[in-house]
Amino acid sequence: MKALPVEPSNVPVAIGSRIRAARQSQRLTIEQVADATGLTKGFLSRVERDLTSPSVASLVTLCQVLSVSIGELFAAPETHLTRRDDGPRISLGGQGIVERLLTARSERRLQILQATIEPRGRGEAELYAVDCDVDVLHVVKGRIKLILTNEEYELGEGDTLSFPGREPHTWVNPTDEPVEVLWILVPAASR
């Protein structure tokens, strides 16, 4: 089998910000990492700013101290882009509502739903709950009433209300104008 020639890339690999993020997530100072690795604070600072590249041995030691794999430093971040009006339509119930999922179906950390509610549109007749820890309602345009077990909230453009996801609730657009809202569910609602 003939090997294909590979041209080396001269594009520098920027891993410094990921190293800094790993250090900060561990709540470690550069001095603490320097003590644990035997590397100097100045060298670590230059590595974090991508002004120098560590040797393989230094990188291995640094990753061990920061509890990250070398692969994590070089992996492309997992991203998902949903363009306006391109999210798949979903239906969580209610009348006079068009809902779109704005996050990837596979996203488990949170779910963002965009909803356009027609005048006098409404949620379920009986209060219902969503299987998530936190439910956030943000009004992009218009007015909406959110009804909880013992309280009602009138929300206008720019208002945001967060409440426990398992709290029974429903909603209504009490106006003659359409309403646009975002629902953010953390973590993503169980299916």
Side-chain angles (χ1 to χ4, degrees):
M1 181 184 298
K2 184 176 179 180
L4 295 174
V6 177
E7 293 288 324
S9 170
N10 291 330
V11 177
V13 177
I15 60 171
S17 60
R18 290 183 176 180
I19 291 172
R20 181 184 320 106
R23 175 180 59 77
Q24 290 172 338
S25 74
Q26 302 272 334
R27 303 208 188 306
L28 296 171
T29 65
I30 284 184
E31 186 172 338
Q32 291 169 318
V33 174
D35 289 344
T37 60
L39 303 171
T40 67
K41 293 188 300 184
F43 176 74
L44 291 172
S45 175
R46 288 191 304 279
V47 167
E48 286 188 359
R49 292 180 289 143
D50 288 313
L51 299 177
T52 191
S53 297
S55 67
V56 173
S58 295
L59 189 58
V60 168
T61 301
L62 195 53
C63 285
Q64 288 172 340
V65 168
L66 297 175
S67 301
V68 296
S69 72
I70 291 176
E72 287 177 64
L73 297 178
F74 296 95
E78 185 178 322
T79 60
H80 174 81
L81 172 65
T82 302
R83 301 265 184 216
R84 181 179 177 90
D85 299 327
D86 284 349
R89 286 186 63 164
I90 59 171
S91 177
L92 297 180
Q95 299 170 357
I97 183 170
V98 174
E99 297 169 296
R100 292 187 181 277
L101 179 63
L102 300 183
T103 48
R105 289 187 187 275
S106 60
E107 178 61 70
R108 304 307 325 145
R109 297 167 293 182
L110 83 154
Q111 232 172 11
I112 301 177
L113 311 171
Q114 184 268 337
T116 303
I117 304 165
E118 295 175 0
R120 308 294 171 194
R122 59 185 322 105
E124 301 293 326
E126 294 191 24
L127 300 181
Y128 66 94
V130 178
D131 189 15
C132 65
D133 292 338
V134 180
D135 200 334
V136 179
L137 172 60
H138 174 77
V139 182
V140 176
K141 179 179 147 190
R143 301 194 63 73
I144 190 168
K145 181 192 292 187
L146 184 74
I147 303 159
L148 300 174
T149 306
N150 295 315
E151 292 184 81
E152 292 185 5
Y153 293 91
E154 291 272 347
L155 304 172
E157 191 169 311
D159 291 345
T160 303
L161 177 70
S162 58
F163 56 97
R166 293 171 187 87
E167 177 68 26
H169 65 278
T170 193
W171 48 267
V172 63
N173 174 358
T175 73
D176 292 323
E177 300 293 325
V179 177
E180 186 176 331
V181 301
L182 293 175
W183 291 97
I184 298 103
L185 310 175
V186 181
S190 298
R191 296 173 200 245

